[in-house]
Amino acid sequence: MNLEGRKIIVNKSVAELVEMLNKPEDYKTLMPESLQSFETRDNGFKFSLKGMPEIALKIEEVTDSQVVLKSASSSLDFALRGTMAPVSDSQTEIQLLFDGNFNPFIKMMVEKPLQNFINSLTDNIEKL
């Protein structure tokens, strides 16, 4: 299952974003309003949103062109990738991409909430 967020322009340099996205605690500011809990872990974090099960993510990779967050659970196989491209010295274009391997039943249940989550993250990133 592949989902895409819209492309946005953020008023931060790629270097500023890379620095921020390397710190698990900084992801809390990007979370939707429905956030119920947030806890940092070694190189990652776990969180829960209203009406959704707890999700644990680990920061897999942060480079000048992308950040990759992967599921920390062996039972769920997915990655959330943020692609970054400099627009200027102080602006960066970002797009969120979700790749998950789910069975058809799970896909049907999670597709809409995940798209809403990606849209909310995109909105919050845009406010940076």
Side-chain angles (χ1 to χ4, degrees):
M1 177 173 78
N2 298 316
L3 300 171
E4 291 185 5
R6 61 189 169 83
K7 289 183 179 181
I8 58 168
I9 305 288
V10 177
N11 290 319
K12 288 200 179 294
S13 68
V14 170
E16 288 174 293
L17 289 170
V18 166
E19 184 180 328
M20 179 187 147
L21 297 172
N22 262 319
K23 299 179 200 161
E25 61 273 11
D26 286 347
Y27 286 86
K28 186 174 185 177
T29 62
L30 304 177
M31 290 289 134
E33 287 181 18
S34 59
L35 182 69
Q36 292 196 299
S37 69
F38 186 92
E39 179 182 322
T40 59
R41 316 170 105 189
D42 290 340
N43 203 31
F45 55 93
K46 67 179 180 177
F47 66 96
S48 65
L49 302 174
K50 192 173 183 178
M52 288 181 69
E54 187 172 84
I55 298 170
L57 296 172
K58 60 184 175 189
I59 301 170
E60 186 80 9
E61 176 185 1
V62 179
T63 67
D64 286 350
S65 61
Q66 71 176 353
V67 58
V68 179
L69 304 176
K70 287 205 168 193
S71 170
S73 167
S74 58
S75 62
L76 293 174
D77 181 18
F78 69 87
L80 180 61
R81 184 179 324 272
T83 61
M84 300 182 285
V87 175
S88 69
D89 289 344
S90 62
Q91 289 189 316
T92 306
E93 180 183 76
I94 298 177
Q95 183 178 26
L96 298 179
L97 307 166
F98 179 90
D99 302 309
N101 295 319
F102 301 123
N103 68 46
F105 179 72
I106 297 291
K107 179 185 175 193
M108 185 178 69
M109 288 177 42
V110 301
E111 191 167 15
K112 185 171 178 151
L114 278 173
Q115 186 65 59
N116 290 340
F117 175 65
I118 290 168
N119 293 344
S120 183
L121 284 178
T122 300
D123 291 344
N124 289 338
I125 292 168
E126 197 168 29
K127 295 173 188 171
L128 290 175

